[in-house]
Amino acid sequence: PKNKGCPLIECEFPPLGALNKLGDGSMRSAMEVDTANLAFGKKLIQGISLPLIGPKVCLLTSSAASAAFAQKAKALGASSCVSLREGAPQGLTKDVICVLIAPSTKTDYETAKTLAQVNGNKVVIVNGFAKDPRSIPGEATMAYFLKPLTYNSQVAGYLIREWPNAWSTVDATTKAVLQQSDDATILVSGTNTPDLRESGRLIQQSYGEQAMRNRSR
């Protein structure tokens, strides 16, 4: 993490390639999102904790997650698995790394902050949902971020961040990096969330320039 006093790390990306499924409200799409988040959680656990070496990983599921989701999470290979519906994990030593998949309630975020800032555990949040400006402190690290940027109802670019690298605005067609930014210039004040307006403007400008070039040929 960028701040040793706040070992709270976040990863945010579309769990599904079909963006229209992420907000259509259907049960089928919701189940596909859950499956994709669990699949990423399994890979993350395997990448963090090596067999016979460690460190131990405690997998946390949201207090709003279904019983079926919590049950599936138990099969991902973590050292322990706790549903926040049953309360915060107890007795964790500081060397245990916590992975919280798809938090969506105030209780979820408060638990993550307490584990990181009070207990001293490293906490990785995967695809947090229903966040407000106070959900995750500005001292937290956005370790991985991928946000498709749309224009004219299609994906025209991306805002990408792989910490400790800069935030990059990338044109989806040309793959050109239109701008690179650091935390001080792109994050909304007091949060670890980027302001998308400048990236969106650059993508729109690039899209327009490409359209003009194509018309002039």
Side-chain angles (χ1 to χ4, degrees):
K2 66 181 182 182
N3 188 331
K4 292 183 179 179
C6 183
L8 187 58
I9 300 164
E10 189 175 8
C11 302
E12 184 175 325
F13 56 91
L16 299 179
L19 299 182
N20 61 308
K21 290 187 176 183
L22 296 178
D24 66 8
S26 73
M27 179 64 71
R28 180 175 180 178
S29 294
M31 292 177 65
E32 289 181 11
V33 168
D34 284 350
T35 298
N37 279 329
L38 287 169
F40 178 81
K42 182 175 182 178
K43 291 179 181 179
L44 181 61
I45 292 166
Q46 291 173 339
I48 292 173
S49 182
L50 300 178
L52 304 178
I53 298 176
K56 292 182 178 180
V57 175
C58 178
L59 180 62
L60 308 174
T61 59
S62 170
S63 56
S66 67
F69 183 92
Q71 189 62 36
K72 291 176 182 177
K74 293 180 180 180
L76 299 189
S79 307
S80 59
C81 184
V82 176
S83 169
L84 296 184
R85 180 177 294 184
E86 301 170 359
Q90 302 296 317
L92 292 182
T93 55
K94 289 181 64 174
D95 59 326
V96 176
I97 296 176
C98 299
V99 174
L100 173 55
I101 297 181
S104 61
T105 69
K106 181 179 180 180
T107 297
D108 295 342
Y109 291 112
E110 290 299 323
T111 299
K113 287 187 285 189
T114 298
L115 287 170
Q117 296 177 311
V118 179
N119 290 22
N121 296 95
K122 291 183 175 69
V123 180
V124 182
I125 292 177
V126 178
N127 284 337
F129 181 69
K131 293 191 295 181
D132 65 38
R134 296 180 296 277
S135 294
I136 297 176
E139 296 81 8
T141 304
M142 184 64 82
Y144 181 78
F145 184 89
L146 172 62
K147 177 70 174 181
L149 302 170
T150 59
Y151 183 64
N152 280 354
S153 301
Q154 62 183 351
V155 175
Y158 301 91
L159 178 61
I160 302 171
R161 203 281 177 91
E162 292 183 46
W163 191 83
N165 298 321
W167 298 79
S168 299
T169 302
V170 181
D171 186 290
T173 301
T174 65
K175 312 304 180 187
V177 177
L178 305 179
Q179 179 174 275
Q180 290 191 313
S181 308
D182 59 17
D183 283 357
T185 57
I186 199 171
L187 295 183
V188 176
S189 179
T191 78
N192 74 325
T193 302
D195 185 335
L196 301 177
R197 290 176 294 181
E198 177 64 10
S199 295
R201 185 191 68 78
L202 291 170
I203 292 298
Q204 181 177 343
Q205 178 181 326
S206 180
Y207 186 95
E209 291 171 351
Q210 292 173 55
M212 290 178 63
R213 287 195 296 269
N214 291 337
R215 285 196 297 268
S216 64
R217 289 177 182 173

